[in-house]
């Protein structure tokens, strides 16, 4: 038999669990966002380096008469 006070405790417990879940989900999203940003920066650096090497190769080929 459930007393009204016990039912209220269950509601608070569910709310607490939901709040905890939301906090953990938010932390996970922050971590994923940070990881994505690092991958994006790495990709941009690789693209910049690729363009620089490609340009150097082009200049080398033009200078060597290829």
């Amino acid at each position: 038999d459930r007393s009204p006070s016990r039912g209220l405790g269950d509601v608070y417990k569910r709310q607490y669990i939901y709040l905890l879940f939301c906090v953990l989900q938010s932390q996970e999203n922050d971590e994923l966002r940070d990881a994505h940003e690092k991958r994006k920066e790495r990709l941009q650096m690789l693209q910049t380096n690729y363009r620089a090497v490609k340009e150097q190769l082009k200049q080398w080929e033009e200078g060597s008469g290829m």
Side-chain angles (χ1 to χ4, degrees):
D1 191 22
R2 293 189 128 187
S3 67
S5 61
R6 179 166 170 86
L8 190 57
D10 289 345
V11 169
Y12 288 137
K13 184 177 178 180
R14 283 195 302 272
Q15 286 178 336
Y16 175 76
I17 290 170
Y18 178 73
L19 179 62
L20 184 60
F21 172 78
C22 290
V23 168
L24 293 173
Q25 191 71 34
S26 178
Q27 289 174 348
E28 182 181 17
N29 286 342
D30 290 344
E31 291 171 5
L32 288 171
R33 195 175 295 111
D34 290 346
H36 174 71
E37 188 61 32
K38 287 179 184 178
R39 283 191 298 272
K40 181 180 172 185
E41 290 171 4
R42 173 92 171 120
L43 174 62
Q44 290 171 341
M45 183 186 69
L46 289 170
Q47 289 173 330
T48 299
N49 290 344
Y50 172 78
R51 285 190 291 273
V53 168
K54 186 176 174 182
E55 182 61 30
Q56 289 174 350
L57 180 59
K58 181 180 173 184
Q59 291 174 1
W60 179 78
E61 287 175 344
E62 290 172 353
S64 65
M66 291 184 101

